[in-house]
Every structure is written in structure tokens, then in C-alpha cells.
Amino acid sequence: MKLLMIEDNKSVCEMMSMFFEKEKWDVEYAYDGISAVEKFKEKSDKWDMITLDLNLPGMDGMQVNAEIRKISSTVPIIILTARDSESDQILGLEMGADEYVSKPFSPITLIARIKALHRRAQISALGSSKQNKVDDDFDVKTDHFKLNSSTREAYLNDNRIDGLTPKEFDLLRVLAKKPRQVFSREQLLQLVWDYEYYGDERTVDAHIKKLRQKIEKVGPQVIQTVWGVGYKFDDTEAE
């Protein structure tokens, strides 16, 4: 794995470097926001994973996140934040990050998060390289929607939903596999996050918001809110 750690605290970098070396990962470091963006731009297709601190000199972590997402909609990003405000964490997710880990954190926890997110990214990359897809390849099909888990592609009224992050795709698949069934936020955390997750349930809301924005670019909204309960997939009126 090729990982870019964007972190101004060199002590944190030095601590994590020992764990990264144990995993035999290829890791580079950026200690401020401006150099981080420049480093990413140099070889944007090089990176398999990014960890991003929010409190950075030169350019705030939120701005760095936004700049990276302008270049790549799919590179996995884990936000590292010492900020107490949950709104900052949710805002980061809404801006396109995939995960957040609060400081101080256990190095083992961060490694576990990175591995889980990387597994999904690898599946997505393998799937997107496949060509010549036919309807029989789609393992989730409804009246107006179809999804291929192998190629990590989803279509609404034959229009592909582009730019889905690994988490967004997995959320969409879980919902679409059981149309009109209502899932609570807690259920979605358990089904989509494949490790023990201690985050706020509003993490689901942030991912749903981004997912809806991408769906609306190709057709009508098929993810509905069931107030006080959770979310469901319903494409019965998606003409």
C-alpha cells in the first residue's frame, strides 16, 4: 500500500512510522496543507490511501480535503482530528472523506481502519477494470436500478452513478438489495462498516447526503428518509 500521511505533528508521524514499517507499507509524509496538495498533485494516481489531519498550517485540513476531491473522487481519505466538535467530523465526511479517527487514537485502531478501507478500495479497483458488462452480471436489479458488486458499478435508468466511494457503494448495495425495507442508522453501521465502529450514527447521515447528491446527477432520488427510523431504497416511481 502507498499511503500519504498529512500531519503537522512529527511525533505522531514518527510513532506511526514504526507501525507502517511493520505492515511494510510505502508511506510519505506532508507536514502542512499546501505541500500536501502539491505532493498529491504530482502523482495523484500513486496513492492508495490518505490520512489527513484537520489542524494544519498553511491550509486547513478541510481545504486540503476539498482540493484532493477535485482531483480524485475515489482515493480513500481518513480524517484525523483532535477537534471536539462532532460537526467538524461530520462536515469532513460530507466533503468527501471516508472515515474519521479522533485524537488521541490507538495506532492499532488506525491501522485497522486503514486496512478495512483499503480492502474496499481494492475490490472497487479490480471491478472497474472489467469490461463488456451485460445485464446478467448485475446481482442487484429492481425496476429502474441495477448494481454489479464485482465491477462496483451502479445504474439508475441505465445511467451510471459515477464517483461512488467504497462506503457510498456499499451503503447503496445494502439498501438496494432489500427495496422498501427500512434500515436504522445503527443497522447500517453494522452492515457497512466491517469492524467495530464507535462513531456517531450521524456518520451514516453524512454518507447518505453525498450518495444522494451523486444519484441526483443521473435521475430521481431513490433513497428515502423514514423520519425517526432510518433510510430505505425505493425506485418504484423513478421514471
Side-chain angles (χ1 to χ4, degrees):
M1 190 193 310
K2 296 183 184 297
L3 185 148
L4 175 60
M5 185 170 204
I6 306 171
E7 168 64 62
D8 67 317
N9 190 326
K10 294 186 178 181
S11 295
V12 172
C13 295
E14 290 172 1
M15 174 188 68
M16 289 306 306
S17 68
M18 295 183 290
F19 290 87
F20 294 149
E21 288 174 10
K22 184 178 179 180
E23 299 293 336
K24 298 182 179 179
W25 293 344
D26 181 3
V27 183
E28 293 185 27
Y29 302 89
Y31 304 109
D32 65 83
I34 295 173
S35 66
V37 173
E38 291 302 315
K39 188 179 285 287
F40 183 79
K41 284 182 178 178
E42 287 175 7
K43 292 184 178 179
S44 59
D45 59 346
K46 170 182 179 179
W47 309 106
D48 299 313
M49 181 74 56
I50 293 175
T51 65
L52 172 62
D53 183 34
L54 288 187
N55 296 314
L56 294 170
M59 181 185 291
D60 183 84
M62 293 292 189
Q63 294 175 286
V64 173
N65 186 80
E67 290 299 314
I68 289 175
R69 278 291 173 245
K70 289 179 184 177
I71 303 168
S72 171
S73 63
T74 57
V75 61
I77 299 175
I78 298 179
I79 287 178
L80 307 179
T81 175
R83 297 180 181 179
D84 294 330
S85 173
E86 290 179 351
S87 62
D88 284 329
Q89 298 165 347
I90 299 302
L91 178 60
L93 295 173
E94 289 181 347
M95 292 177 66
D98 296 281
E99 298 279 6
Y100 71 82
V101 175
S102 297
K103 291 182 175 180
F105 57 82
S106 160
I108 295 174
T109 297
L110 179 57
I111 293 293
R113 298 282 183 95
I114 291 172
K115 286 181 175 179
L117 194 53
H118 188 233
R119 282 196 296 272
R120 293 190 181 91
Q122 284 183 309
I123 292 171
S124 180
L126 287 171
S128 64
S129 67
K130 297 183 179 180
Q131 304 295 324
N132 301 321
K133 291 166 276 296
V134 296
D135 271 358
D136 288 344
D137 293 327
F138 294 95
D139 49 304
V140 178
K141 289 191 287 186
T142 61
D143 292 340
H144 305 281
F145 176 84
K146 55 188 178 182
L147 177 148
N148 187 320
S149 296
S150 297
T151 63
R152 308 287 285 186
E153 291 185 334
Y155 294 81
L156 180 61
N157 290 329
D158 292 323
N159 297 311
R160 190 172 69 180
I161 305 169
D162 290 324
L164 294 175
T165 66
K167 278 289 194 309
E168 291 164 357
F169 182 90
D170 290 343
L171 265 175
L172 182 56
R173 178 174 56 187
V174 166
L175 291 166
K177 284 177 72 174
K178 296 186 177 180
R180 296 179 292 283
Q181 176 174 322
V182 181
F183 291 86
S184 68
R185 292 167 178 82
E186 182 179 10
Q187 287 174 318
L188 291 172
L189 281 173
Q190 293 172 348
L191 291 168
V192 176
W193 280 255
D194 62 353
Y195 50 81
E196 194 168 5
Y197 190 78
Y198 296 99
D200 191 288
E201 290 182 2
R202 286 183 297 172
T203 299
V204 175
D205 297 339
H207 282 86
I208 289 287
K209 180 178 179 179
K210 293 296 292 185
L211 178 56
R212 281 173 164 166
Q213 290 172 353
K214 293 173 182 179
I215 290 172
E216 287 171 354
K217 290 180 180 179
V218 301
Q221 190 53 250
V222 294
I223 295 180
Q224 300 178 5
T225 300
V226 180
W227 297 108
V229 184
Y231 299 100
K232 68 177 181 178
F233 177 95
D234 188 350
D235 68 336
T236 53
E237 298 182 5
E239 295 290 348

